[in-house]
Amino acid sequence: MRHLRLLTAITALAAIGGCAQATAAQPAPPSFWSQLHTGGGTGEYLFDSLDDITPGAKPSGVFRPAAALVEGTVVGVEPGIAYASGDDSATARIVPYDSEEAAIRWASVVIKVDKVHAGKLGRGFASGQIRLRVEQPTGTTLDGLRASLGTAGRGIFYVDSALNRAGRRPASQAAQAYQAAVHLPIGQGVFVEEKPGTPLLAPLTDEERAAQLLGGGAQTRSAGAGATTLAQLRVRAQQSACEAGTATDKSTC
């Protein structure tokens, strides 16, 4: 009987150890921004540097700079709007966000605005927060994004009201109300640190473009030497705002 009990105990410990190893072997859950990263766009760029999208910068052709340059912390994500086709033009049909008909979904990333460095926030800025329109790629879920909010971090955002940027007013009141409530990232201008002091990510653009905008070759998604930090970008953004005459804190100029 004693030998039987000993054998049972050993078997139980082995099972526990096996479970522990299986748990340890599980990959880490995806980060917030990696779920929203679509690889960025391709084609001809309409601006050359972050100075070109700073509020107050001289417009270049059809491109207009951001209306506001803000620093903030991501605090949530909400359903935004969904369309039955891959086109969110004025004629596209709006469908329920969780509908199987939805071909494109725009989530609203909720940002607590800690400071407006340049320009001015207007329509859609309420209770110290803005909602940033970001495409929710197929295969991701709002629950998955919410579960990873701890990695969403803090960053600098170049934004404008979606309604201000609309070429024409949407036909439906629902689309108008949506556009009045959200902001667009101008020039894919989203730069975030997942943890304080870590290199910045530019999750809405590709790595080569991110490196170009941030001013180097190693500062995209790795912790390579010379990677740009939030503190460094803040100083650079403030200087650009001072030169454009739109800095909200003149003591930084």
Side-chain angles (χ1 to χ4, degrees):
M1 180 65 70
R2 180 178 178 183
H3 292 296
L4 179 60
R5 289 177 180 173
L6 181 59
L7 179 60
T8 301
I10 292 173
T11 303
L13 287 173
I16 293 172
C19 291
Q21 288 179 357
T23 300
Q26 290 179 353
S31 67
F32 181 84
W33 290 105
S34 69
Q35 295 178 69
L36 294 174
H37 181 68
T38 58
T42 58
E44 183 179 356
Y45 294 116
L46 299 178
F47 63 96
D48 296 323
S49 72
L50 294 182
D51 293 336
D52 297 329
I53 58 175
T54 297
K58 184 178 179 180
S60 173
V62 296
F63 182 81
R64 286 187 291 155
L69 170 60
V70 305
E71 184 171 337
T73 305
V74 177
V75 295
V77 61
E78 301 170 349
I81 198 167
Y83 295 93
S85 70
D87 177 14
D88 62 350
S89 67
T91 58
R93 181 166 61 92
I94 299 174
V95 296
Y97 199 79
D98 58 354
S99 170
E100 292 184 359
E101 289 187 86
I104 185 171
R105 293 181 176 88
W106 295 101
S108 296
V109 176
V110 184
I111 299 169
K112 175 183 172 292
V113 176
D114 300 314
K115 186 171 183 177
V116 179
H117 289 295
K120 185 178 181 181
L121 288 169
R123 184 187 288 112
F125 177 43
S127 302
Q129 296 180 339
I130 59 173
R131 283 161 174 77
L132 192 69
R133 190 191 80 164
V134 177
E135 183 178 354
Q136 181 184 330
T138 302
T140 64
T141 65
L142 290 177
D143 286 342
L145 289 167
R146 288 168 180 147
S148 62
L149 273 174
T151 65
R154 176 186 176 94
I156 286 180
F157 306 86
Y158 294 77
V159 300
D160 197 357
S161 162
L163 197 58
N164 289 345
R165 291 280 167 156
R168 58 177 175 168
R169 291 296 184 265
S172 72
Q173 291 185 345
Q176 288 184 32
Y178 165 74
Q179 289 194 354
V182 299
H183 283 74
L184 303 180
I186 303 305
Q188 300 174 323
V190 171
F191 304 94
V192 295
E193 58 175 13
E194 294 178 317
K195 295 180 180 180
T198 57
L200 288 177
L201 309 179
L204 301 188
T205 188
D206 60 84
E207 295 189 1
E208 183 177 349
R209 179 60 167 166
Q212 178 188 353
L213 294 176
L214 290 171
Q219 54 254 51
T220 51
R221 296 179 180 278
S222 66
T228 300
T229 64
L230 179 60
Q232 292 169 332
L233 182 58
R234 181 188 299 118
V235 171
R236 177 178 164 189
Q238 289 171 339
Q239 290 175 344
S240 181
C242 288
E243 293 172 2
T246 55
T248 56
D249 184 358
K250 303 302 182 184
S251 67
T252 63
C253 299

